[in-house]
């Protein structure tokens, strides 16, 4: 699951600024030196033809490129192009289809879904790096054993440990507990029955409990791509700045929060375009016919600038600096796509519009351990529900977001199994009168007559919310402050950069924040994990501890897909509405625009890699 800011793009993340592509020298800590020989192929592709360079921008800054340490969407977009998981998704298939990536075939699975045996393709190599001491380093089964163990190492402090923990690899969770209790060092050489390399190319995963959907877990390259032990040990705490994988691209330049450059991996194996579209998918069929058999990747380089504000990002695209606009800024959707159709002036330039309802959810998170908005007593639950009732999310979706989102009823994302478009809940209601009545009933009254409510014990009541210094977010902040003032709730915004807010949330040092989560797989279990006490410190951002929800999450995790599991998903939505640790606000439309020369783009649903499947036509 990808974490992102509530602003228009995950992800999700805002150490941003207009990228000045030629400014400033790079320090050693800011960049990885290009792999020897990497620049030449990128600059002289196709027998001397001009390099094919894709340029576009992120609206939120990256945090780094170590798969075990990243959680924000933008960093994961980058890591998914440098690291490779055992499985991936067919670029064109809708409904989605998982296919082997570094694995030779789909896994051999025991009848009880507890043992998965996976054979790797031989002849896959990591990109060259000094850590390999001049030797070409082949990817082997032991690399996936090591990579998964890293998530359990307390010294790594992976924010994604909860997702790995939930798979219950035999012996891994228990060993992590032993290391934590002893405060000792994690021994990567210690044999564990759940993670074994049977031979050089055969990996076997054994689980404590059935995992019918383990394949979806293994298909996330942005997190579960293989890393090499030699590289991690060579760079230590600097692993976020030294990504070395087996993927189609390699990091060749990096100015933090400004510019990220990846070049074609000169040693990438022979891999060819074999995506398959549905028979009734005319666009997909055309792309499959055009690219079938083409060697991947088809680009020489990708340059990603970080541009925080909507206007310069939009104008840079119109000015021709970028061939691709990832998510049209809401401020300019009327100019770009009035009525959901590409503007005539852009269509005349051969541009293409790509619009789909995203597998994401915009939400407000309340810290359940916070003395003001947290807790399980009736008055604390009433406060959170009143905040939800007073929030005019319909106006946020229609006015601030320019109809680029729809109101949400629950936390489950569209296109995932738990999502039910017909489900209705209190989270859809905007009812300030009811919010005021609820506050009055549970003792939140204006005792001193200053227009602001106090807490039931008479002490001042101030809602403190995290925010970021970004123009679009300011519009959301202003609307919410106005909503809260209308029911007598005073708000204090704590403005900080995205990474600072993220750190505060992980440590439980916050009260309220606005975020978005995008699904990284078709299943909805990741959303349920947001309510599990075992995921506090990772995906349980609200830090909620409720035995009934814990039991429900544990039960659905083991069940095969079907009506019974779906019924439990619906029950979880009712519990989530009742206690309101999260307030689901909306689901976004992703509206991208590509210039005529960019061919082959199709927005991924649950994965982040797409660069290798596109080309720049002459």
């Amino acid at each position: 699951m990808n974490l992102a800011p509530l602003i228009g793009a995950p992800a999700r993340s805002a150490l941003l600024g207009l990228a000045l592509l030629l400014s400033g020298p790079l320090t050693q800590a800011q960049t990885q030196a290009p792999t020897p020989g990497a620049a030449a192929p990128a600059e002289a592709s196709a027998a001397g033809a001009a390099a094919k360079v894709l340029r576009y921008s992120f609206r939120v800054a990256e945090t780094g490129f170590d798969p075990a340490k990243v959680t924000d969407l933008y960093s994961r977009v980058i890591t998914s192009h440098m690291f490779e998981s055992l499985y991936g998704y067919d670029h064109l298939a809708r409904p989605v289809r998982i296919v082997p990536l570094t694995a030779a075939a789909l896994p051999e699975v025991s009848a009880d879904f507890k043992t998965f045996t996976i054979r790797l393709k031989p002849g896959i190599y990591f990109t060259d790096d000094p850590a390999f001491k001049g030797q070409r380093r082949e990817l082997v089964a032991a690399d996936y054993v090591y990579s998964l163990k890293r998530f359990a190492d307390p010294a790594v402090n992976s924010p994604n440990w909860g997702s790995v923990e939930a798979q219950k690899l035999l012996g891994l969770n228990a060993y992590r507990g032993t290391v934590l209790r002893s405060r000792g060092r994690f021994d990567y050489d210690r044999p564990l029955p759940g993670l074994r390399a049977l031979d050089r190319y055969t990996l076997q995963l054994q689980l404590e409990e059935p995992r019918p959907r383990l394949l979806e877990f293994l298909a996330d390259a942005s997190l579960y791509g293989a890393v090499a032990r030699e590289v991690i040990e060579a760079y230590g705490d600097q692993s976020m700045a030294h990504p070395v994988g087996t993927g189609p691209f390699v990091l060749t330049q990096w100015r933090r929060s400004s510019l990220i450059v990846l070049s074609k991996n000169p040693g990438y194996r022979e891999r060819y375009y074999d995506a398959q579209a549905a028979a009734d998918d005319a666009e997909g069929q055309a792309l499959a016919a055009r690219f079938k058999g083409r060697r991947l990747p088809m680009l020489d380089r990708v340059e990603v600038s970080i541009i925080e504000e909507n206007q310069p990002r939009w104008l840079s695209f119109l000015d021709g600096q970028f061939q691709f606009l990832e998510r049209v800024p809401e401020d300019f959707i009327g100019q770009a796509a009035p009525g959901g159709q590409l503007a005539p002036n852009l269509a005349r330039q051969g541009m293409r519009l790509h619009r789909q309802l995203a597998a994401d959810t915009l939400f407000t998170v309340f810290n359940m351990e916070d003395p003001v908005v947290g807790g399980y007593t009736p008055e604390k639950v009433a406060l959170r529900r009143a905040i939800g009732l007073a929030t005019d999310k319909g106006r946020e979706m229609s006015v601030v977001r320019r109809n680029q989102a729809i109101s949400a009823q629950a936390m489950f994302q569209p296109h995932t199994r738990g999502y039910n478009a017909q489900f209705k809940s209190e989270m859809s209601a905007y009812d300030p009168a009811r919010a005021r009545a609820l506050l009055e009933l549970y003792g939140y009254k204006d005792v001193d007559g200053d227009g602001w409510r106090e807490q039931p014990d008479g002490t001042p009541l101030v809602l403190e919310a995290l925010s970021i210094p970004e123009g679009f977010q300011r519009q959301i902040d202003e609307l919410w402050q106005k909503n809260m003032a209308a029911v007598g709730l005073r708000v204090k915004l704590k403005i900080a950069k995205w990474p600072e807010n993220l750190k505060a949330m992980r440590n439980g040092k916050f009260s309220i924040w606005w975020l978005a989560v995008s699904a990284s797989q078709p299943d909805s279990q990741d959303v349920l994990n947001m309510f599990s006490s075992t995921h506090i410190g990772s995906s349980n951002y609200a830090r909620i501890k409720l035995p009934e929800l814990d039991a429900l999450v544990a039960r659905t995790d083991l069940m095969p897909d079907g009506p019974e599991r779906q019924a439990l998903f619906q029950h979880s939505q009712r519990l989530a509405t009742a206690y309101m640790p999260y307030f689901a606000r909306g689901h976004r439309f992703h509206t991208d625009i590509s210039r005529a020369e960019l061919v082959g783009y199709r927005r991924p649903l649950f994965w982040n890699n797409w660069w290798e499947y596109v080309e720049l036509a002459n």
Side-chain angles (χ1 to χ4, degrees):
M1 183 163 62
N2 301 320
L3 182 63
L6 183 60
I7 60 173
R12 49 311 295 326
S13 328
L15 299 173
L16 311 176
L18 182 59
L20 303 176
L21 301 184
L22 300 178
S23 66
L26 295 172
T27 67
Q28 186 176 3
Q30 289 175 312
T31 184
Q32 174 182 306
T35 301
E43 296 297 339
S45 63
K52 294 185 176 181
V53 183
L54 171 64
R55 297 181 176 92
Y56 74 108
S57 62
F58 288 168
R59 67 175 67 189
V60 173
E62 75 297 336
T63 56
F65 311 120
D66 181 342
K69 295 181 179 180
V70 301
T71 186
D72 64 285
L73 173 69
Y74 296 102
S75 297
R76 290 175 65 167
V77 169
I78 302 298
T79 57
S80 67
H81 290 94
M82 293 187 288
F83 298 93
E84 292 183 305
S85 50
L86 292 156
Y87 300 96
Y89 288 86
D90 187 306
H91 177 61
L92 297 179
R94 305 291 187 276
V96 299
R97 184 167 64 95
I98 294 178
V99 295
L101 187 52
T102 62
L106 294 178
E108 299 171 12
V109 185
S110 64
D112 62 1
F113 292 103
K114 289 186 178 181
T115 302
F116 291 71
T117 304
I118 302 162
R119 290 176 173 80
L120 275 65
K121 298 172 185 174
I124 298 176
Y125 292 88
F126 286 96
T127 56
D128 293 340
D129 188 87
F132 300 135
K133 303 185 185 305
Q135 301 298 310
R136 199 172 184 209
R137 173 64 155 80
E138 188 179 19
L139 173 71
V140 295
D143 293 315
Y144 284 105
V145 172
Y146 173 75
S147 299
L148 286 170
K149 282 182 176 180
R150 289 191 70 228
F151 289 89
D153 185 349
V156 174
N157 192 27
S158 173
N160 302 298
W161 161 241
S163 294
V164 178
E165 179 186 31
Q167 308 313 312
K168 298 195 174 179
L169 292 155
L170 199 59
L172 183 63
N173 297 5
Y175 180 55
R176 173 183 163 88
T178 299
V179 174
L180 283 169
R181 288 189 296 273
S182 66
R183 299 188 179 183
R185 183 181 64 86
F186 192 97
D187 182 5
Y188 285 93
D189 295 315
R190 181 189 178 106
L192 295 175
L195 269 170
R196 293 193 297 162
L198 301 185
D199 58 39
R200 186 171 180 83
Y201 301 115
T202 306
L203 174 71
Q204 188 173 85
L205 306 178
Q206 290 189 300
L207 314 170
E208 297 176 16
E209 300 171 338
R211 282 290 173 271
R213 292 161 293 277
L214 185 70
L215 187 61
E216 295 177 6
F217 166 81
L218 296 173
D220 188 346
S222 65
L223 293 182
Y224 309 122
V227 300
R229 183 171 181 173
E230 303 96 305
V231 172
I232 299 300
E233 292 180 348
Y235 297 112
D237 292 341
Q238 296 301 312
S239 62
M240 289 280 268
H242 293 274
V244 178
T246 63
F249 293 93
V250 58
L251 182 68
T252 50
Q253 190 179 357
W254 182 25
R255 287 201 296 272
R256 292 181 185 273
S257 308
S258 176
L259 176 67
I260 309 165
V261 179
L262 284 85
S263 298
K264 178 191 294 186
N265 176 0
Y268 195 56
R269 65 186 179 279
E270 290 190 25
R271 183 175 160 224
Y272 298 92
Y273 196 106
D274 61 355
Q276 300 178 29
D280 60 352
D281 180 358
E283 179 190 39
Q285 288 287 338
L287 291 176
R290 174 173 181 145
F291 293 120
K292 183 176 177 61
R294 290 280 299 274
R295 186 166 179 177
L296 305 178
M298 295 180 281
L299 298 174
D300 296 307
R301 193 167 68 252
V302 180
E303 297 178 357
V304 179
S305 303
I306 312 300
I307 304 180
E308 176 184 18
E309 296 292 342
N310 285 345
Q311 185 179 49
R313 189 168 59 256
W314 167 244
L315 293 177
S316 295
F317 173 72
L318 291 183
D319 194 39
Q321 296 181 38
F322 306 122
Q323 302 101 331
F324 176 65
L325 181 62
E326 196 262 349
R327 300 186 189 183
V328 176
E330 289 81 357
D331 311 31
F332 299 98
I333 197 67
Q335 299 177 36
Q341 301 295 318
L342 187 65
N345 64 310
L346 302 182
R348 285 193 294 271
Q349 299 177 50
M351 295 186 189
R352 302 180 188 88
L353 185 73
H354 312 269
R355 188 174 191 263
Q356 74 176 24
L357 184 63
D360 77 2
T361 301
L362 308 164
F363 65 96
T364 302
V365 54
F366 300 99
N367 182 0
M368 296 292 281
E369 297 175 353
D370 182 74
V372 176
V373 300
Y376 303 85
T377 55
E379 73 276 8
K380 297 297 186 180
V381 172
L383 175 59
R384 292 192 298 273
R385 294 180 71 166
I387 291 170
L389 289 166
T391 299
D392 189 355
K393 66 180 186 181
R395 186 171 181 81
E396 177 188 334
M397 303 308 143
S398 62
V399 178
V400 180
R401 296 187 178 276
R402 278 73 168 178
N403 292 311
Q404 290 305 291
I406 59 173
S407 291
Q409 304 291 330
M411 291 295 294
F412 292 123
Q413 304 105 326
H415 311 292
T416 65
R417 296 188 184 99
Y419 180 73
N420 180 357
Q422 308 307 314
F423 180 79
K424 300 295 180 184
S425 77
E426 185 182 278
M427 290 196 194
S428 66
Y430 170 56
D431 193 338
R434 188 177 166 199
R436 284 189 285 267
L438 196 60
L439 291 168
E440 289 287 330
L441 180 63
Y442 284 92
Y444 295 95
K445 302 177 183 292
D446 178 11
V447 177
D448 56 11
D450 65 352
W452 301 110
R453 297 179 186 274
E454 278 71 44
Q455 297 195 60
D457 63 2
T459 59
L461 172 60
V462 179
L463 305 179
E464 184 176 277
L466 303 180
S467 190
I468 59 175
E470 194 271 341
F472 181 76
Q473 180 62 49
R474 283 194 292 274
Q475 298 177 52
I476 295 173
D477 294 345
E478 289 168 4
L479 174 61
W480 188 70
Q481 287 178 294
K482 182 179 179 181
N483 291 163
M484 295 304 102
V487 297
L489 295 176
R490 180 163 33 195
V491 172
K492 176 184 177 183
L493 294 177
K494 187 175 181 181
I495 309 295
K497 301 292 187 179
W498 163 260
E500 297 171 33
N501 288 341
L502 182 61
K503 182 179 180 180
M505 183 187 69
R506 286 178 181 165
N507 293 329
K509 306 298 183 184
F510 80 107
S511 181
I512 303 170
W513 198 17
W514 300 292
L515 286 168
V517 285
S518 57
S520 57
Q521 57 188 20
D523 195 58
S524 298
Q525 193 67 35
D526 274 351
V527 168
L528 286 186
N529 291 341
M530 294 173 65
F531 297 89
S532 171
S533 63
T534 62
H535 289 262
I536 290 175
S538 56
S539 59
N540 183 347
Y541 314 121
R543 310 178 81 83
I544 182 172
K545 301 175 184 176
L546 193 67
E548 185 176 357
L549 274 169
D550 282 347
L552 186 151
V553 173
R555 185 178 174 191
T556 56
D557 204 20
L558 303 179
M559 296 173 66
D561 297 329
E564 185 180 358
R565 188 168 185 256
Q566 198 67 27
L568 290 178
F569 281 157
Q570 302 306 309
H571 181 54
S572 75
Q573 292 182 119
R574 289 188 285 272
L575 284 173
T577 302
Y579 284 92
M580 200 82 67
Y582 306 97
F583 176 62
R585 302 164 74 99
H587 308 296
R588 291 175 290 197
F589 285 101
H590 289 170
T591 303
D592 309 319
I593 300 179
S594 59
R595 289 190 168 274
E597 60 267 30
L598 178 61
V599 183
Y601 174 73
R602 173 166 282 197
R603 171 171 279 279
L605 278 174
F606 305 115
W607 58 102
N608 299 308
N609 58 301
W610 56 270
W611 300 347
E612 63 261 46
Y613 301 111
V614 302
E615 75 164 349
L616 292 173
N618 295 328

